[in-house]
Amino acid sequence: METGIGIIGCGYWGPHFIRLVKENNLSRLVKVCDSDKSRVKKCRKLFPGVEFTSSLEDIILNPAVEAVIISTPVKTHYELAKKSLSAGKHVLCEKPMTRTSREANELIALSRKNKKVLMPGHVFEFNSVVQYMRRLIASKKIGQVIYINMFRTGLGPVRNDVNVVYDLASHDISILNLLLGRLPITISAIGKSFVNSHHEDVAIVNFEFPGNVIASLTVSWMDPIKQRLIKVVGTKKMLLFDDVSNEKLKVVNTGKTYQSLKGDFGSFQLSTKDGDILIPNIKYPEPLKLEYEHFLDCIRKGSTPVSDAQSGLRVVRVLEAVCDSIKRNGKKISLK
């Protein structure tokens, strides 16, 4: 039995979802909604035969639409998801799920009341490399995690609706929460606006996690070098995930010895030894495809997504704390 799908928004992610819905024999694309005529024109060329509309009612009030994919600016997520859930539709909403935790809690309550799947689009939780890293960390094969460094930078595109934190950091926050299995205890951040005076386009965030783990994240629309880098340093091994490289993950054995304090000052130094580097052979299916297939599976089985609405709420809570710290000039914010 095919699931009828309606898509709202055909900007960046919309065309990808159109393709995935059309390719999947367990779903049927009913309609795509977007008010931007230029975007619709481009999508019509890419997907001849797809029916487009500029009216939300053609999606939300359409009995043939059982589930809605929301791929629109963040500021519209709450209202669109609320209308869709109220109309009895399952919802897959692009990240971040909402702008505020209050909005997220309202959507969670509504999805439970109407017994509908509400799933945030945390695509990296379906990334095979991230999942491989999660298993290594959970099994203690890299020892105790000491710290994590993350970089998500490049030259734009500069957004007008949200700052760089809501645009880029959402990915890494969801990854951090997944890898460590818990929320940070405290957060501090600084951010600056260089292009858009209303929104920060560069931010540096520091996290403290339970278990004496620290993490840092740099997000920027101003960096000429595109980086999608995560480094996890443990007591036994280091994990280096470079998402723009062909060799996406490197596992580095680490070791260190201390020379005894004898003779001159220079004889006391930390001596590091180079460890073996393993490049695991990891199959890399398209994460967005896995995310969409999981969404369909949860609808059919009535099950809770692995990346569920509570996961979406946790990410939004961290985003709020980051922005609060930026507004308060780097003040450390506690998550309770």
Side-chain angles (χ1 to χ4, degrees), residues 77-315:
H77 286 182
Y78 167 71
E79 287 296 335
L80 291 175
K82 183 178 180 180
K83 288 180 180 179
S84 299
L85 290 167
S86 298
K89 314 297 185 186
H90 304 281
V91 172
L92 170 58
C93 185
E94 260 310 307
K95 61 81 189 171
M97 189 169 73
T98 58
R99 287 186 297 181
T100 69
S101 54
R102 178 191 62 80
E103 293 174 342
N105 277 312
E106 285 187 26
L107 293 183
I108 290 170
L110 185 57
S111 67
R112 287 173 176 170
K113 177 184 175 182
N114 291 349
K115 298 180 180 179
K116 297 299 174 183
V117 174
L118 172 60
M119 180 175 167
H122 295 163
V123 68
F124 276 92
E125 295 193 29
F126 296 88
N127 184 293
S128 56
V129 176
V130 172
Q131 286 293 337
Y132 187 90
M133 293 169 68
R134 180 189 64 81
R135 292 191 296 270
L136 287 181
I137 292 170
S139 65
K140 306 293 185 182
K141 290 184 178 180
I142 70 166
Q144 295 295 324
V145 176
I146 303 172
Y147 67 88
I148 299 176
N149 290 147
M150 312 178 87
F151 297 89
R152 192 170 295 271
T153 67
L155 284 176
V158 176
R159 299 276 295 269
N160 293 316
D161 56 329
V162 292
N163 64 8
V164 71
V165 175
Y166 268 76
D167 180 32
L168 297 182
S170 303
H171 287 307
D172 298 285
I173 291 168
S174 69
I175 293 170
L176 268 177
N177 292 345
L178 179 70
L179 292 182
L180 298 177
R182 51 198 184 272
L183 283 172
I185 302 170
T186 64
I187 296 166
S188 60
I190 55 173
K192 296 294 181 182
S193 304
F194 296 99
V195 175
N196 188 331
S197 59
H198 299 292
H199 299 297
E200 294 83 10
D201 34 54
V202 177
I204 301 172
V205 189
N206 293 310
F207 305 90
E208 293 179 78
F209 282 86
N212 204 30
V213 178
I214 57 176
S216 68
L217 167 63
T218 299
V219 286
S220 173
W221 289 326
M222 304 292 294
D223 198 312
I225 298 177
K226 182 176 180 178
Q227 294 183 91
R228 300 291 186 265
L229 192 66
I230 300 173
K231 181 167 64 175
V232 181
V233 177
T235 53
K236 295 180 180 178
K237 300 177 187 293
M238 180 186 76
L239 307 177
L240 184 63
F241 175 26
D242 186 351
D243 202 24
V244 299
S245 170
N246 290 329
E247 298 174 346
K248 293 193 177 296
L249 182 65
K250 294 178 181 178
V251 182
V252 184
N253 291 324
T254 58
K256 49 188 178 292
T257 58
Y258 288 91
Q259 294 182 357
S260 60
L261 184 56
K262 294 180 180 178
D264 59 70
F265 177 78
S267 66
F268 181 70
Q269 59 184 345
L270 175 64
S271 175
T272 60
K273 65 179 182 181
D274 294 331
D276 294 332
I277 298 176
L278 170 67
I279 301 176
N281 183 16
I282 302 172
K283 292 182 179 179
Y284 199 74
E286 183 183 4
L288 194 67
K289 181 180 180 182
L290 296 179
E291 176 187 88
Y292 175 64
E293 290 174 347
H294 182 62
F295 178 57
L296 290 179
D297 193 52
C298 290
I299 292 173
R300 290 195 303 273
K301 295 179 179 177
S303 57
T304 301
V306 292
S307 174
D308 62 359
Q310 288 293 337
S311 173
L313 170 61
R314 289 191 290 270
V315 168

